[in-house]
Amino acid sequence: MANQPSYQIQALLEKLNNPDSDFRFMSLNDLHSHLSSNNNPLSSDPGLSSRVVDGVIKALDDANGEVQNLAVKCLGPLVLKVKETQIAPILDRLAQLAINSADPSIPSTALRTVISNLPRPGSINAVTGPITTPAMAQNQQIAAAATNAISRHLIPKLLAMLGPDAQKGANIDSVDVLIEVLRCFGGILGGAEVEQFQVKVMGILENDRSSGVVKKRAVTALSLLCVYSPDILLSSFLSHLIESFKIEGTSPQRIRLYVSVTGAMARAIPDRFGPYLKTLAPFILGLVNGKDLEDQEFGDEPDMEQDELKEAALVALEAFQSMCPGEMRRFTTEVLAAGIRFLKYDPNYADLGEGDEDMDAEDDEEEEGYDGEDFEEDGNFSDEDDISWKVRRCSAKLLSTVIRTRAGDLLEDGTLYKEVAPILVDRFTEREENVRLEVLATATVLVRKTGEISMASAPIGSPTATNRKRRREPSDVTAIEVMVQDRTSTPIQIQGPTASLASLIPRISKALAKTLKGKTTTLSTKQASITLLLAIVDVLHGGLQDVLASFIDPIIDATKGGTGFLSGQTHTAASATGSSLRIEVLKLVGKTCAEHPRQVVEPYLKDLVPAVVAAIQERFYKISSQALSTAAEIIKMLTAEGRETDGANYLNQLYDAILQKISSSETDLEVRERAIYCMGILLSRTSAAAEAVSNDKRQAGLDILLERLRNETTRITAARAIDLVAKNAKTTDDLRAEWVSNVVTELGAQLRKVNRSLRGASLDGLRSVVSNEFGRKLLTAEARNELLGVLTPLLILNDLHLLGPALVIMKLLIETKQVPVTKSVVEAVCSLVKTHQGSGSTLNNVVSLVNAIGKESQEGRTDLMMGLLKDVGVLGETAVVAKVIGNLLVSGGGKQGGLNVGVEDFVIEMKTAGDDHRKCLALMVLGEAGLKMGPSFPIGPEVFLEQFQAQSEDVPIAAAVALGLAGSGSVENYLPVIMQRLQANNARDQYLLLHSLKEIIQHSNSTTADIKPYAKHMWSSLFAIAKNDDSKAVGAECVGRLTIIDPYSFLPELQKHLNSSDSSVRGMVISAIRYTFTDTLASYDDLLRLIVVDFLTVMVEDKEFENRRLALTALNSAAHNKPHLIMPHLERLLPLVYRESVIRPELVREVQMGPFKHKVDDGLEVRKSAYETLYALLETSFSGINPIDFYTRVIAGLEDEHDIRVLCNLMLTKLTLLAKDETLARVDDISEKFKTTLSFKPKDNAVKQELEKHAELVRSTLRASVAVNKECGAALLGDNPAGRGKKWLQYWEWVRGVFPSELRGLEMEEKGGVGMGEAY
């Protein structure tokens, strides 16, 4: 039985000689099944292995084509089953067949199949360390044998196969074999072999007998050869190309091939090719300078050779601009001129010029639409001879690439809207479909880039900036939640590029109206036009108010599914369908309603609303879902500004359609969830408007929401819809007591579920019910007690996401006396205070709850104070416990309020306690009490100052902080004493008093006027005192916050101190500037804008290393908080950051530690700060960054220290989305760095911390690998003639084999992060 597969294979081999081709085919099919199995039936019988090889190779010459194809297919698994010694003979025989055969296509295809299936060099056993399994050892032997066979046997024969043939020219099959060898084994080629292949391939290109298809493949082969060319050989080859361009009389065909080679090289090796562009680019630009058009007249016969040459030149320029934008910057004017010139190039069509606009305007009333076929009736040209459309299409692509890579500066100086945009608009009526689509796509890119630049330059807090922050949220969260965000009433400031776009709207709308109304316009063109309009509305936040009438009719027709607009021709090269076009139109309608005032859309609502209702009722779920999103925007528009009753008819139509979708059993889950949320929006925005939606309909809507809340599949969405309704209820008539009780019961039950998103949505709903005064009135005693029971267990610190809302709800219930403060509540609060660490919103919520208990419940505040003093005390974090006790002490009224302790008791505790922890707690409680009581606080500053002399390390600091807190509440009583004490030359006291000043300034929001008289005195004292390392950081914070209090006085002072000769003063100024970027109003930006870039430039160029690190931290803060201030100056700032991210060998030194030597990198902290700054800029200002330079530093960081590597991995996950094209160009470099990281193994004696850091880095690298492969993997597997990304594909294959369980965990983590309900 063990030899049964061998007997079966022998029987199959006999059938290979059967005269019946069906028998031969089936035997090969069965043989392929055996070879593809996990077992290797050939391993124990060398003779059988040889016979199988002979039989399969013989079948390549079979008379039946299907048998031949199956034989080729068998060679793939066969080459992995035979002995390593048989690989070379197989390659030899196949190569010989390819050389001698009359039809070399089959043996060449077989050869390519074998090459692609052989293990690549380095893909096996890449992980350092010993081989652990026999399979790994065997695979390594196969890889070594394959490399040897390719190098010694195939390459010499391949050189012979590529030899010149005077009769036939070159063979395409030989070139394809070379391409496969280079893709799979290019790394094993030596410089001499690469040079030989280059000579052979150039001979093919320059051979006039070679076909065009062969020459195109040869161009691909040349680009791959350049990847493995040594620098000297590459330089020599490019010099040969340059000299070839200089030769007079070279035929257009040959020049076109040379141009194609340059474009392919730019895509294959952009980093190495870029420096040569200063010499090469002028030659290419010379081909499209338009001089040959000067003598050309309309009606001349088209010169196809010249058109093909122009096309190749424009394609090459697009490659240069895409892959090497930095090197092409000097040629921007010429590139734009070429793109514009040939976008209008149509020698067979008389362009009447721009002056025809007025003439066309006269015909607008009669013209029903643009008919693309009219152009073809002129009779001035032959479609077969005219290829000028390819030139125009390439010009549009070139302009699109320029816009993508140079939008920042070309938009700022107005070039794109002065020179490019008008031409694009004129070409919207292009007669050729392919070109028209490319023109519309280019215009869309321009509009979107305009929006990106405008958003990045907008101040934080402006509507544009708000829109930017919304877009940075994950799409899975905002799919429906965006529907509820209210319309802003703040006018949008249109200036700069957006103003230029707005000025073009009349021309754009006129051109698009012709396109949309055209009877023969294809669906693809219509969809591209709608996409452009959608981008315009999105960027301008409206903009169509004056032109909407020109194309609203086809929009309404498409919305309702009319055959007129959706029945255009289908273009074979595009994927637009009637459904996809309708979805885009619905998006445009929704966006138009969201971004325009009601009066703009109102004239069309009588037709538009029924059309949307018809779309909601569609069976196709994608159309229905998008229609519901559009309906939500219409509802918000109709209910804005309290005008609900004006649109009652429309609201009722929408209500009926939404209710039907929720109720129908045939509705798709996604559509039902969106309908539920729409119902929530409608009911919430028509509160107290019975004329808009009747009470009966409202109650039916509330009941359906409650019903869906009880259904497991729609529970989360229903909870969010109920949240909206409860939050916006304006009368008790909007809700029913029974409904509220049932909702509270259902939402409370969900708090016990495991689903975290469901618990969060349920808590938000309960918070809205309790926060709304009308909802609170309808709470029954049973519902309130039920709420108390489900909320109390949540008051533990295991989920901050749920803890905040739970605290808010509890506080509302207690301060409105809805529930008593029970013993369980007191215990929960004490437990929370004991375990809580730090500050933030959670602590503020805890304090608010404690204040509510102190004010409203005498028994509760007494029990809570006893619990805090006895059960918590010094067991919790001192600052947190003191804040809670201090607030409870004041809100509860002290002893007068029934508490058993007062302020005087804590003074006694502070003076008599023998334990430093208890003394610190008493001091901090007094400070918090003083902050809250203000001038009525009975304790003077001397009580705190006395503790400065304590021998403990902690007590003086606690006393200083408490002094500052108390001083914040009573500035006039405390600050003069502190300033007087600062004048003493006691260094210890001065350091402590700095902490007091910091607290006073930090809490100065309500006491700014009290501080200003002392500000200058404080300023001079800070610079005089805070010079040592201990006090510099505290002093810097004080200086920064004083600057915010009085910027007119202190910003010039900061600028003066920045030029100080004392490095410690400069360092303090640099640190202080960081605080001026936070907690400031937009009005402060006007002062900061004038000096911020000069500040940052001087700071980053400081000669002191530590100061440069602080400067990068300040720039990081500016990128996070004021990106609009630095965005226009990134070209000046980024090179400084890039410079600090480079490893400097002179800063790496060796330190002797016992018998060991340890390397210390003094530049590491600065590099970390530089990369943190790059990360901040990536998040806030990426549209103004050149991705080429940015990527270079990120990839370099993948070889740096641990923290920098992890940060670069995070940046890569974002860059895959923000700069996909550049990611595709860099995946091979990324794969090498990732593989080095994953291949590293810690030493056997590595400590636990090193192992944990390595595990974190591996996980971070794998997560980045998954992100890159998710976005780029499919593109690399597709049509990829340059072979780009082969290293990445090999790396990914290796990762999947070495880290399968880790990858599965990451995939499960990604899938589990967003459930069906969470998608909304």
Side-chain angles (χ1 to χ4, degrees), residues 786-821:
E786 190 170 354
L787 261 179
L788 186 63
V790 296
L791 289 174
T792 304
L794 293 179
L795 301 185
I796 52 176
L797 197 67
N798 62 351
D799 194 335
L800 292 176
H801 175 66
L802 303 178
L803 178 59
L807 289 168
V808 171
I809 297 171
M810 186 72 78
K811 171 226 171 189
L812 288 168
L813 290 172
I814 290 174
E815 71 181 4
T816 56
K817 298 185 178 180
Q818 298 279 322
V819 295
V821 180

Side-chain angles (χ1 to χ4, degrees), residues 595-830:
E595 300 290 359
H596 290 85
R598 176 172 174 167
Q599 56 266 29
V600 173
V601 186
E602 194 159 23
Y604 317 106
L605 286 175
K606 65 180 186 302
D607 298 319
L608 192 58
V609 172
V612 173
V613 169
I616 291 174
Q617 294 169 345
E618 274 287 334
R619 294 181 64 86
F620 184 40
Y621 78 98
K622 288 187 177 180
I623 292 177
S624 183
S625 178
Q626 185 57 53
L628 285 164
S629 294
T630 303
E633 297 299 344
I634 295 176
I635 291 168
K636 287 190 283 184
M637 181 190 67
L638 291 172
T639 55
E641 303 170 359
R643 297 179 58 187
E644 299 89 347
T645 56
D646 295 348
N649 179 38
Y650 304 131
L651 289 172
N652 280 280
Q653 291 182 52
L654 293 171
Y655 173 92
D656 293 338
I658 293 168
L659 185 65
Q660 189 273 332
K661 274 295 174 183
I662 299 175
S663 305
S664 175
S665 60
E666 298 179 357
T667 303
D668 183 87
L669 178 61
E670 176 186 333
V671 176
R672 179 176 281 115
E673 287 186 325
R674 198 157 289 207
I676 290 169
Y677 209 77
C678 271
M679 180 64 76
I681 293 173
L682 195 153
L683 295 178
S684 69
R685 297 181 70 91
T686 56
S687 176
E691 301 86 352
V693 176
S694 66
N695 286 331
D696 290 341
K697 286 191 172 183
R698 172 172 293 279
Q699 297 309 322
L702 292 175
D703 290 340
I704 198 74
L705 291 182
L706 181 59
E707 177 188 332
R708 301 318 304 179
L709 181 63
R710 290 168 172 161
N711 188 293
E712 187 174 356
T713 59
T714 56
R715 197 165 273 157
I716 293 179
T717 310
R720 290 172 177 162
I722 289 171
D723 177 21
L724 287 178
V725 175
K727 186 183 299 181
N728 294 289
K730 296 177 182 176
T731 68
T732 51
D733 295 335
D734 288 341
L735 308 172
R736 298 194 315 269
E738 181 186 0
W739 185 84
V740 171
S741 297
N742 289 333
V743 163
V744 169
T745 300
E746 287 297 326
L747 293 177
Q750 308 317 314
L751 297 180
R752 301 185 179 94
K753 300 291 178 65
V754 176
N755 189 324
R756 188 166 175 265
S757 296
L758 175 60
R759 295 167 73 193
S762 301
L763 263 180
D764 289 339
L766 290 172
R767 178 171 56 184
S768 295
V769 170
V770 175
S771 301
N772 189 294
E773 59 174 318
F774 305 108
R776 273 200 311 272
K777 289 178 181 178
L778 297 174
L779 283 174
T780 63
E782 182 181 356
R784 292 195 295 267
N785 292 330
E786 190 170 354
L787 261 179
L788 186 63
V790 296
L791 289 174
T792 304
L794 293 179
L795 301 185
I796 52 176
L797 197 67
N798 62 351
D799 194 335
L800 292 176
H801 175 66
L802 303 178
L803 178 59
L807 289 168
V808 171
I809 297 171
M810 186 72 78
K811 171 226 171 189
L812 288 168
L813 290 172
I814 290 174
E815 71 181 4
T816 56
K817 298 185 178 180
Q818 298 279 322
V819 295
V821 180
T822 63
K823 185 177 180 181
S824 59
V825 172
V826 171
E827 291 175 351
V829 172
C830 290

Side-chain angles (χ1 to χ4, degrees), residues 470-668:
R470 181 188 306 171
R471 287 181 182 174
R472 285 205 302 266
E473 295 176 7
S475 59
D476 51 61
V477 175
T478 60
I480 274 191
E481 289 186 0
V482 152
M483 293 160 49
V484 77
Q485 295 185 8
D486 208 345
R487 302 159 56 83
T488 175
S489 59
T490 306
I492 305 299
Q493 298 296 323
I494 297 181
Q495 56 187 356
T498 51
S500 301
L501 172 60
S503 67
L504 269 179
I505 294 302
R507 290 181 63 183
I508 293 174
S509 62
K510 181 179 177 181
L512 291 180
K514 288 183 178 181
T515 301
L516 295 173
K517 293 178 180 179
K519 295 179 180 178
T520 58
T521 306
T522 64
L523 292 178
S524 300
T525 297
K526 290 179 179 179
Q527 183 163 323
S529 302
I530 295 297
T531 302
L532 174 58
L533 284 172
L534 186 59
I536 290 172
V537 176
D538 191 31
V539 170
L540 293 181
H541 301 282
L544 302 183
Q545 55 271 13
D546 299 324
V547 298
L548 189 58
S550 61
F551 48 78
I552 191 64
D553 290 337
I555 296 297
I556 293 174
D557 182 57
T559 302
K560 66 183 179 184
T563 57
F565 190 75
L566 301 177
S567 60
Q569 302 173 16
T570 301
H571 188 252
T572 55
S575 58
T577 63
S579 296
S580 65
L581 175 56
R582 194 175 179 189
I583 290 170
E584 283 297 305
V585 169
L586 285 165
K587 289 179 182 177
L588 175 61
V589 172
K591 198 69 179 175
T592 301
C593 293
E595 300 290 359
H596 290 85
R598 176 172 174 167
Q599 56 266 29
V600 173
V601 186
E602 194 159 23
Y604 317 106
L605 286 175
K606 65 180 186 302
D607 298 319
L608 192 58
V609 172
V612 173
V613 169
I616 291 174
Q617 294 169 345
E618 274 287 334
R619 294 181 64 86
F620 184 40
Y621 78 98
K622 288 187 177 180
I623 292 177
S624 183
S625 178
Q626 185 57 53
L628 285 164
S629 294
T630 303
E633 297 299 344
I634 295 176
I635 291 168
K636 287 190 283 184
M637 181 190 67
L638 291 172
T639 55
E641 303 170 359
R643 297 179 58 187
E644 299 89 347
T645 56
D646 295 348
N649 179 38
Y650 304 131
L651 289 172
N652 280 280
Q653 291 182 52
L654 293 171
Y655 173 92
D656 293 338
I658 293 168
L659 185 65
Q660 189 273 332
K661 274 295 174 183
I662 299 175
S663 305
S664 175
S665 60
E666 298 179 357
T667 303
D668 183 87

